[in-house]
Amino acid sequence: MAATAAQKSSDVDVLIVGAGPAGFMSATWLSNYTGLKVRFVEKRNTKVFAGQADGLQCRTLEVFQSFGMAQKALNDANHMWEICFWDPEPETGIIKRTARIPDMTPGISRFTQVVLHQGNIEQYFIDYLKEHGDNIKVERGVLPESISIDESKVDDNDAYPVKVTLRHLPEEAAEVEQFGHKVQNGLFRSANLMTEKDDDKSLNADTDVRETINCKYVIGCDGAHSWVRRQLGYKMEGEHTDYVWGVLDIVPLTDFPDIRHRCAIHSENNGSVMVIPRENGLVRLYIQLSDVERLENGMVDRSKITPEIISKCAQSIIAPYKLTYEKISWFTAYQIGQRVCNNFSANDRVFLAGDACHTHSPKAGQGMNISMMDTYNLGWKIGSVLTGRSPRNILKTYQYERRQIANDLINFDRKFAKLFSGKPGEIDLEEFQKVFAISHLFASGTGVEYDASNLIAKDPSTAPNLKEVVPPVVKAKDLAAKIPVGQRFMSYKAMNQSDARVWHLQDVMPSDGRWRFLVFAGNIKDAEQNRRVQKLGEYLARPDAFTYKYTPEGAEYNSAIQTLTVHCAPRTEVELDDFPRALRPEHDYWSLYVDDVPHHEPHTKCYEQYGVDPKRGCVVVIRPDGYVGYVGDLEDTEEVEKYFSQVLIPQRK
Amino acid sequence: MAATAAQKSSDVDVLIVGAGPAGFMSATWLSNYTGLKVRFVEKRNTKVFAGQADGLQCRTLEVFQSFGMAQKALNDANHMWEICFWDPEPETGIIKRTARIPDMTPGISRFTQVVLHQGNIEQYFIDYLKEHGDNIKVERGVLPESISIDESKVDDNDAYPVKVTLRHLPEEAAEVEQFGHKVQNGLFRSANLMTEKDDDKSLNADTDVRETINCKYVIGCDGAHSWVRRQLGYKMEGEHTDYVWGVLDIVPLTDFPDIRHRCAIHSENNGSVMVIPRENGLVRLYIQLSDVERLENGMVDRSKITPEIISKCAQSIIAPYKLTYEKISWFTAYQIGQRVCNNFSANDRVFLAGDACHTHSPKAGQGMNISMMDTYNLGWKIGSVLTGRSPRNILKTYQYERRQIANDLINFDRKFAKLFSGKPGEIDLEEFQKVFAISHLFASGTGVEYDASNLIAKDPSTAPNLKEVVPPVVKAKDLAAKIPVGQRFMSYKAMNQSDARVWHLQDVMPSDGRWRFLVFAGNIKDAEQNRRVQKLGEYLARPDAFTYKYTPEGAEYNSAIQTLTVHCAPRTEVELDDFPRALRPEHDYWSLYVDDVPHHEPHTKCYEQYGVDPKRGCVVVIRPDGYVGYVGDLEDTEEVEKYFSQVLIPQRK
């Protein structure tokens, strides 16, 4: 569909296609880069009202917190603290509680997993965008019709090589049929059982307005049947299984005692149920459907699945306990499949994220989380390149880092789904419980570790796909057992030296586009260590040091790379002036922290938690997305310079 | 000024005069009582933009939390964790840091003191009222002109005995001169140095509209020069001192190392400074002014006081450290005075609250807090009477309980101000530090303990003013060392039995107008204790028990008196069904808690914290405002019935 001559045309830095969680995370990140022109389009005309995804994992909450959004989610959500396993008693076949484990491994994050409706989560993003300048807004009822990349221009920073035609739908065509909203049909948005034709039906509506936009970058966050992916000709690889599951969101009436715990129930002969207690008394049930009608191609005939059928299955699995409901707010059904796209990017100009490049079963609460983490990985990279802070080659790391996670996800899900869908006689229930427990590190999102690249100063020999990206020029030292390079910087608490208040270190490093140079200064009461710290301070004060080199003339010190210091001398035995100016700029009371005993809460002993030697200390480079890029000694300033030279562009002559 | 014949007339349940913190707290409480008609008028046409009060004490934050508002304040505010004392060195006269203490005694609350601008706090209330139905709104530019009470009707529950004429000001007349907003004059709203004439100047403006309203109740929250108080003919008792203090809100430029700590600085000869670090890099300085011009009556000539004069005083006190500022956002000056009104209520129909009935020096951060706590005490009582839940006699306890606090405040302030304003040679600096430290319990608001009355089942012999109120019919037992009757129920954590999530117990008792009957059930694995719990459950299930008697027909169980249970049997060794239905209603998963080790945080051991014997347990009656009314044994149901019979009205035949 070519653009007509009369068509409106404009240039934009980024076009985000699809206002689901992945799209919103993109927009949220990009709103932190001043001066960008971002368009954000969504063909549906409202946010999600019921159903869909519902779990927020630990790492996602950490990221929300970095945007100041976690508290809302924590207030509104249900918090899950325990998983109960129910299995048939060998003698009677009656289900019994056989084990309890914490829902998340204690200590892996300051947050625990919470559950609430996707519509709330989208609202937090909408509120964030509104509060932060309102320069990026979702344009609803707008969908792309054509896309083309001018490959001759993809390496030109000033070019707009992606041309997209957008169509503005008349209101009725964009209206979504949502259960409890417009129609009583929860199946509409169930991607797993939908055909691509279903999803495209709005295309038959009468059109209103078309426009052409020339884009520097496009992010396709348009779901499992991604239009962007299809235009690029990329394929999803993987297969469907035979397992069919139904989902019910209900306010239950039941005598099952663990209805407010997360439960994994394997019945003897009737299949399995996963119980996910939700906010406002709701409970989500994932129910294995034993007897469903299928189409000729082996896929489920979704038109035959009703809430009554799903509920009946649930009742037979949970018997002898009774289960009915006071209210149903959503239902759907899906056939388990695990698929990953063969490519996440075209010329590092058009990117795919979220369901557009990986789909899998929803029970482990991974989909929405990994989708948001995709664009949390991508957003700052695009923002940095567009604002001239970073070279375009960092964009290569998006596919490199996130396809690995998508593959891990699919492998995890395959194993998990098989154990969950299997019959007690056929699978090992103890193994199931073990897999559940050890899966937490992965499922929480906190176990993610990116491979070596220019962004991750690790040993290149451990990275099988290194040829896809720019390799690291330096290698981190092993100076902090609990600050693994390539993983997110875990948050522990320290006290502000200037006012004795305790902070989670993550909270002094919000997601604002800045890099962090974190100095573990050690105990400066020790003369030798003090000398080392002073020497580092002298280096950082040099006008040619990275502290200045990557900061534009006239911009504030700390505005490109924020230097933060955590020392461990006794707080009351040192004064601010004992630290070099570079670590504690004049009239700056928010850069210097101490590991000491606070007045009002227990001592978190952050040096111990991070595994940093108080006599030696270390320096840590943290990416804008919170992942550790480099760890070295206080003297390793040359290495740090090399690291930055690969990922940042000097801003001064 | 009599109403004209043409004047609009209407009936309202409550008229709140004055939209400062006390007024907003009244409105917030009353918005929790469905169906009330509340008018809320304020003569100024905007909220406060700068200056004014700035401290939120622990108890105030607990109350904010009970309305779901604390998190916003905690996010926006500066948190103060330490006080540093600076005194002249005996040999040199140069100020040195002589001591540090925690800013609040650790352990007295789950919150610590925070500081932020009064305008933010007013905004939280505005947001709350908007989110909660928006049926109570501030009407700005509206002030009362006449008030009269028909004493023949004051005891009639259905009557509207208070007649008030309201005048709607034209916009200009209501405009407030605020520093940084309309005019560069911070002194405008400084009540302490203002004359009553100043405050009334808007009365000279042209009038627009008048109306008459007939009120059941009026709450005068109209500040130090309260119009309501003057109409009632009530007098403030107390005196002014000679000490004059200036206040500056600045972003400082200084080399004083403790500028982000709360500091009390006594210079040798130049007076004292209190440093209060604020949000957004601001610092408030309270500065003793040594040389000020006075009027003939001995009061300060405020027209002669400028920020430059105040700043110069500060510089001389803090020398040899330098102090200038980047930005000034407010200033004022006041002469210390401590005064309390002789009466807080007229016929228990018109009430005074906040500055309208007590004024004092601002340095201890008490004014705004005690003002809000006044109407937090009053709001639910008026709400309960108006909705027919409680007899009018509970209103007598407002003056009884709050005048005692006002007197304590004045005594505290007198001592504190004298020590702070005194010269190092004349006062004992060690005594000053001690008074500061022991004052925390009072200053935090957590030490408040109300005397015996029908609302507080304590020994009447300890209450000197008991004749003012209805005396208690029962006396609490000493079964919980850390649940003192008359004090607020301190919040510790317990786990929900149904989902293993940890809650602060206060958070399951929000300020919603309900009473709480809290059962410490003890260890029900003990057969004897279990028998006692079952017996209590049987009693509570009786249709004539208080659980039903005070709940209207058709209303939900728990809607008038919420029964909550905390047991201490091992969580995984008991099931929900082991507890009587009355303690754990069908399909209710939010009433039963357990003192056990949680998965993700330390065990708070709440039985130990509350001083409750696990083998005996106890029952606790908690008022809608969180104060403990009664403590007794599990068998003391007859006593509990007697208690409730004095403060609640049966709702069933």
Side-chain angles (χ1 to χ4, degrees), chain B residues 95-145:
Chain B
I95 57 166
K96 294 278 172 197
R97 187 195 296 123
T98 56
R100 302 174 188 258
I101 59 170
D103 184 50
M104 271 299 147
T105 315
I108 58 175
S109 171
R110 61 168 153 157
F111 299 111
T112 56
Q113 189 184 187
V114 303
V115 200
L116 88 168
H117 167 236
Q118 182 178 329
N120 290 56
I121 295 160
E122 293 180 11
Q123 191 60 50
Y124 305 148
F125 283 115
I126 292 169
D127 292 345
Y128 180 94
L129 291 172
K130 203 172 280 177
E131 280 165 28
H132 289 77
D134 215 9
N135 59 332
I136 306 181
K137 277 180 204 167
V138 187
E139 301 171 55
R140 296 193 183 273
V142 178
L143 80 171
E145 279 197 331

Side-chain angles (χ1 to χ4, degrees), chain B residues 521-523 526 528-529 532 568 607 612-617 634:
Chain B
N523 182 354
D526 175 278
E528 168 56 14
Q529 183 64 11
R532 296 177 70 214
C568 62
Y607 268 67
V612 175
D613 181 351
K615 290 188 184 142
R616 185 172 179 183
L634 270 57

Side-chain angles (χ1 to χ4, degrees), chain B residues 389-458:
Chain B
R389 304 180 203 183
S390 291
R392 253 181 60 77
N393 69 39
I394 68 165
L395 297 173
K396 289 182 196 298
T397 62
Y398 169 64
Q399 165 168 314
Y400 176 77
E401 294 182 342
R402 297 307 299 176
R403 202 181 44 196
Q404 167 205 336
I405 303 304
N407 283 324
D408 291 350
L409 166 63
I410 265 49
N411 292 332
F412 163 71
D413 188 50
R414 211 168 271 148
K415 199 164 171 183
F416 186 70
K418 196 176 161 195
L419 284 166
F420 212 146
S421 302
K423 271 195 184 182
E426 296 159 7
I427 60 144
D428 181 342
L429 287 170
E430 276 190 26
E431 191 200 344
F432 173 63
Q433 290 175 18
K434 266 185 217 152
V435 167
F436 218 133
I438 61 172
S439 71
H440 282 166
L441 201 63
F442 178 76
S444 71
T446 61
V448 164
E449 182 169 326
Y450 295 136
D451 276 350
S453 73
N454 49 347
L455 287 172
I456 300 292
K458 280 205 301 202

Side-chain angles (χ1 to χ4, degrees), chain A residues 71 79 81-82 97 100 104 106 112 254 259-261 498-499 501 571-572 575 587 589 599-600, chain B residues 71 79 81-82 97 100 104 106 253-254 259-261 498-499 501 571-572 575 587 589 599-600:
Chain A
Q71 200 57 51
H79 295 226
W81 286 50
E82 191 166 272
R97 186 194 299 120
R100 302 174 188 257
M104 272 298 147
T112 56
T254 184
I259 197 72
R260 297 302 307 171
H261 284 297
S498 304
D499 66 8
R501 177 179 176 186
R571 177 177 65 91
T572 60
E575 297 288 340
H587 307 132
Y589 304 95
H599 291 305
H600 295 291
Chain B
Q71 201 56 51
H79 295 225
W81 285 50
E82 189 166 273
R97 187 195 296 123
R100 302 174 188 258
M104 271 299 147
L253 299 174
T254 184
I259 196 72
R260 298 301 306 171
H261 283 298
S498 303
D499 66 9
R501 178 179 176 186
R571 177 177 65 92
T572 60
E575 297 287 342
H587 307 131
Y589 304 95
H599 291 304
H600 295 292

Side-chain angles (χ1 to χ4, degrees), chain B residues 260-281:
Chain B
R260 298 301 306 171
H261 283 298
R262 187 170 173 195
C263 294
I265 307 170
H266 278 91
S267 74
E268 189 164 34
N269 292 309
N270 299 315
S272 305
V273 163
M274 164 93 90
V275 178
I276 306 277
R278 291 260 306 262
E279 74 281 10
N280 300 326

Side-chain angles (χ1 to χ4, degrees), chain A residues 479-499:
Chain A
L479 293 176
K482 308 280 179 57
I483 309 180
V485 180
Q487 290 193 19
R488 67 89 163 82
F489 182 77
M490 168 86 171
S491 192
Y492 293 110
K493 289 179 176 180
M495 284 168 94
N496 184 317
Q497 174 70 32
S498 304
D499 66 8

